[in-house]
Amino acid sequence: MMVFYKARLALLSVPKTGTTALQAALRPHADMVITDPPELKHAPVYRYNRWIRPMFDKVCGTELEVAAVMREPVDWLGSWYRFRQRPHLDGKPASTKDITFDDFVRDYCRGNRPPYANVGSQAKFLEAQPNGCKVDHLFRYEALSQFHSFLEDRLGLTIETEQKNVSPKMELTLSEKTEAILRRKCAEEFDLYDSIP
């Protein structure tokens, strides 16, 4: 998570949406950068609303606008699947080494997910709060140039990022049946993504 006070902007770090590279590029310009622990680096809207927003509201009398990036749901799961293929996870419950992508997605759709498929929800991460705290500017990961243009305009600088924390490359296939299950069980993910202009 990063805060740019003069620009009145908070940037949330949705996991697997390129925010590690963005943090590296924007760190010198941010007024607040939270990189650790992961629970705060990747603080969802509800956590931002509970801890960060009140700080700026009470101390500075300022309400920040919130920006975030969302990735197409199947591609997002593919990135998590590949990320958990890394050798240092071999033999650990979070490893997807001996799991097919199709099985990974089916397990993600279960009510009680195994550790390797327990990767959260972008829709839940970005969910608006009852007090009105919400993401004001939501961008598609697949159109990062629009997001970068927004940030450059808002922050008055040029952004150059280098890839960081990249998942291993591999071909992933998802059966039509499994994709149908995912779309039914996780409809809110697709609805939110499809609502992004």
Side-chain angles (χ1 to χ4, degrees):
M1 176 190 295
M2 289 186 286
V3 171
F4 304 90
Y5 180 71
K6 288 179 186 173
R8 301 297 192 264
L9 185 68
L11 176 58
L12 301 186
S13 296
V14 180
K16 310 311 296 168
T17 62
T19 51
T20 300
L22 201 56
Q23 276 192 350
L26 294 178
R27 173 181 228 114
H29 309 286
D31 298 298
M32 178 186 288
V33 181
I34 302 174
T35 58
D36 240 348
E39 294 80 9
L40 291 179
K41 174 186 177 181
H42 297 295
V45 172
Y46 75 84
R47 204 168 280 146
Y48 166 82
N49 182 50
R50 184 166 184 183
W51 303 108
I52 306 298
R53 186 196 58 74
M55 180 173 56
F56 284 93
D57 179 37
K58 290 183 169 109
V59 176
C60 308
T62 299
E63 190 72 35
L64 304 176
E65 291 182 18
V66 177
V69 173
M70 182 180 187
R71 195 166 183 163
E72 191 281 325
V74 176
D75 188 49
W76 184 73
L77 288 172
S79 183
W80 270 115
Y81 173 81
R82 294 190 324 268
F83 185 71
R84 292 190 164 188
Q85 291 271 316
R86 293 169 302 159
H88 80 275
L89 290 175
D90 287 358
K92 295 182 179 165
S95 175
T96 56
K97 183 177 182 182
D98 297 319
I99 311 291
T100 67
F101 181 53
D102 208 73
D103 287 340
F104 171 80
V105 172
R106 281 180 180 260
D107 286 340
Y108 178 78
C109 292
R110 289 173 39 190
N112 187 17
R113 296 172 180 154
Y116 59 79
N118 193 15
V119 297
S121 156
Q122 291 183 100
K124 190 72 177 163
F125 186 106
L126 298 165
E127 184 176 53
Q129 299 302 289
N131 68 349
C133 182
K134 65 181 181 359
V135 175
D136 301 288
H137 308 281
L138 185 58
F139 297 86
R140 292 174 185 244
Y141 172 83
E142 293 74 15
L144 279 180
S145 60
Q146 292 175 3
F147 181 50
H148 288 181
S149 293
F150 165 79
L151 289 175
E152 288 179 342
D153 183 57
R154 188 73 178 251
L155 303 176
L157 50 86
T158 301
I159 299 172
E160 292 183 24
T161 59
E162 295 178 13
Q163 287 192 322
K164 305 270 184 192
N165 206 22
V166 180
S167 301
K169 297 215 180 282
M170 63 181 67
E171 286 295 320
L172 300 179
T173 55
L174 192 61
S175 70
E176 288 182 16
K177 185 174 182 180
T178 299
E179 184 169 347
I181 292 169
L182 175 65
R183 287 182 175 276
R184 186 178 77 250
K185 295 264 192 174
C186 302
E188 68 281 358
E189 306 288 331
F190 293 93
D191 290 345
L192 180 57
Y193 183 78
D194 290 343
S195 75
I196 304 171

